[in-house]
Amino acid sequence: RKEVEQDPGPFNVPEGATVAFNCTYSNSASQSFFWYRQDCRKEPKLLMSVYSSGNEDGRFTAQLNRASQYISLLIRDSKLSDSATYLCVVSLTGGGNKLTFGTGTQLKVEL
Amino acid sequence: GAVVSQHPSRVICKSGTSVKIECRSLDFQATTMFWYRQFPKQSLMLMATSNEGSKATYEQGVEKDKFLINHASLTLSTLTVTSAHPEDSSFYICSAGGGLAGLRTDTQYFGPGTRLTVL
């Protein structure tokens, strides 16, 4: 079983749509959780950290369910520029330490 | 702030040659740098953790004699792929922890990556 599992997609959605991605992780000792964004042939960039209480950053909302070992990302009012691969990332300690990446979910936002 | 550079951005080499990739933190010091590898349509996989002034810690399955890591200063870590073969062709990405510089300690700052193609 992979340490971090994601549906690879692609998710093809029209501009303005709401889209949700899910992720599960296998190690219950994981302490830190993140969503990163990776554009084609580029390095990953931190989108947002994920907190137990859930958190929101503009059009992006992240949720964490420790009991189910499940993380989600909701994107509202999708923009063309949101097209990318979204990586679910966990760490046993902090994000400044070893990170375990999922394979990513590809999003394509279309006109 | 928190810019990490990598050089070269792209390299093509013949099988059997060695390739050195540099990772620099441009505007901050990093005691710890990480080296990842990403094959097409796969996730980033941590290869090793590089600590300034000490030996790198390699992940299981990564050959330390093939992937030589040197972290001689707080702003530079190098990865040398020795005797490269076509199966080593991949996207190599480094990152640095920002704790020493007072930057966010809960994140890593990634370099732009180096695309290695071994013929």
Side-chain angles (χ1 to χ4, degrees), chain B residues 58 63-70 78-82:
Chain B
Y58 289 82
E63 299 174 58
K64 62 178 181 178
D65 295 328
K66 179 169 179 65
F67 298 99
L68 302 178
I69 291 173
N70 183 283
T78 61
L79 167 68
T80 301
V81 183
T82 62

Side-chain angles (χ1 to χ4, degrees), chain A residues 33-108:
Chain A
F33 309 90
F34 310 89
W35 283 101
Y36 275 74
R37 169 192 170 131
Q38 186 174 27
D39 292 287
C40 188
R41 305 175 77 86
K42 301 282 188 182
E43 77 276 20
K45 294 186 178 178
L46 179 66
L47 180 65
M48 60 196 302
S49 301
V50 187
Y51 303 116
S52 296
S53 55
N55 49 297
E56 186 174 306
D57 183 0
R59 298 182 291 110
F60 300 86
T61 301
Q63 298 275 357
L64 168 65
N65 184 320
R66 286 185 183 268
S68 302
Q69 294 178 207
Y70 170 95
I71 307 164
S72 66
L73 176 68
L74 183 77
I75 304 176
R76 291 182 299 279
D77 189 22
S78 301
K79 311 290 184 190
L80 293 174
S81 57
D82 292 334
S83 298
T85 297
Y86 289 84
L87 307 173
C88 178
V89 183
V90 304
S91 174
L92 287 175
T93 52
N97 300 307
K98 178 180 175 180
L99 300 177
T100 301
F101 285 78
T103 52
T105 298
Q106 189 179 8
L107 171 66
K108 294 181 181 179

Side-chain angles (χ1 to χ4, degrees), chain B residues 45-90:
Chain B
M45 295 297 293
L46 181 66
M47 299 175 66
T49 302
S50 168
N51 295 297
E52 186 267 338
S54 63
K55 290 183 179 180
T57 302
Y58 289 82
E59 294 299 303
Q60 192 173 15
V62 178
E63 299 174 58
K64 62 178 181 178
D65 295 328
K66 179 169 179 65
F67 298 99
L68 302 178
I69 291 173
N70 183 283
H71 193 160
S73 78
L74 289 171
T75 59
L76 173 63
S77 177
T78 61
L79 167 68
T80 301
V81 183
T82 62
S83 186
H85 291 286
E87 58 266 29
D88 297 322
S89 298
S90 187

